[in-house]
Amino acid sequence: MKEFYHVSRADIAEINQFNLQHFPGYIETEGFFSAQEFKDFKITNYPNGISKHGEFYLHNPFRPTGPNLAFTPNELLLETTFELIRQLKFNNRKSRFEITFGCLNLDDAIKLKTEDFGGDGEIYKVSCEKHSIADMNLVRQAGSIIGLQVIAEKYWNGEASPSPFWEVLMENPVNILEKIQY
């Protein structure tokens, strides 16, 4: 098994492994789709379950204003574009909604925690059987519709941006080995 580092903003002290889950709760938008249609779509597209990242993006309704704003419109657009390009051209790759993210080394995990997460979270050494890497900085881009599609193809191809930050896309199960004190 290959070892990596994971930054968790959730309390994972009581678990020893990340796995895909079938998170409960199905949302509906009256007149547009029912809770059953939501459930059927999710089960058809993610039959083995989803990760916590998947739960966040697939279950949480997008609210463009107010105190419940959990992400920006760009994040919603980026994740949707990257997922559709994956489904269309890279269906042999696991969805970002089905994996656990990691860092190649401790220095990258510390950088992610301090620069992206504002110092929030804990760093854990983890291991998994299968993984791939992709440049996280490609997911942070915005632009035209065609531009986003080109960037998504580069991401799934494993290509680098001008200043890459490599993230590890770990296929579950992912074993939590130890909490890192640094």
Side-chain angles (χ1 to χ4, degrees):
M1 284 203 180
K2 185 85 171 152
E3 293 182 355
F4 302 105
Y5 295 87
H6 173 78
V7 181
S8 179
R9 291 180 281 184
D11 182 7
I12 61 171
E14 300 300 319
I15 65 171
N16 59 13
Q17 193 175 69
F18 293 112
N19 289 293
L20 296 179
Q21 298 181 37
H22 292 281
F23 292 95
Y26 302 100
I27 54 179
E28 62 183 84
T29 300
E30 191 173 319
F32 290 94
F33 64 88
S34 68
Q36 186 62 48
E37 288 171 314
F38 181 97
K39 178 181 179 180
D40 292 345
F41 184 89
K42 189 174 83 170
I43 290 171
T44 298
N45 287 280
Y46 309 100
N48 297 318
I50 57 176
S51 64
K52 286 298 262 181
H53 178 82
E55 178 193 26
F56 180 80
Y57 282 97
L58 297 175
H59 277 242
N60 289 332
F62 173 68
R63 292 179 176 90
T65 59
N68 294 323
L69 181 62
F71 47 83
T72 67
N74 265 1
E75 286 181 88
L76 186 65
L77 175 65
L78 288 167
E79 290 290 348
T80 301
T81 301
F82 277 60
E83 178 63 3
L84 291 175
I85 292 296
R86 184 199 66 80
Q87 289 174 352
L88 287 170
K89 297 186 175 188
F90 301 90
N91 62 5
N92 61 323
R93 302 282 303 270
K94 292 289 183 186
S95 169
R96 289 173 52 82
F97 305 136
E98 297 175 297
I99 56 95
T100 298
F101 293 97
C103 296
L104 291 169
N105 55 56
L106 181 57
D107 288 341
D108 285 352
I110 292 169
K111 181 178 178 180
L112 182 68
K113 176 182 173 176
T114 57
E115 293 180 14
D116 289 38
F117 297 168
D120 191 24
E122 301 293 336
I123 298 174
Y124 293 85
K125 183 182 278 188
V126 297
S127 68
C128 66
E129 289 286 336
K130 295 180 181 180
H131 72 283
S132 60
I133 62 169
D135 183 358
M136 181 190 301
N137 284 336
L138 292 172
V139 182
R140 297 175 175 166
Q141 298 305 309
S144 67
I145 291 172
I146 290 174
L148 284 177
Q149 292 175 10
V150 170
I151 289 168
E153 284 189 23
K154 288 182 177 206
Y155 177 87
W156 292 114
N157 270 325
E159 295 178 39
S161 67
S163 180
F165 186 89
W166 298 106
E167 63 184 355
V168 183
L169 287 68
M170 298 179 286
E171 292 187 30
N172 293 291
V174 173
N175 300 308
I176 301 167
L177 304 176
E178 66 179 295
K179 183 177 176 180
I180 302 296
Q181 305 296 330
Y182 65 96

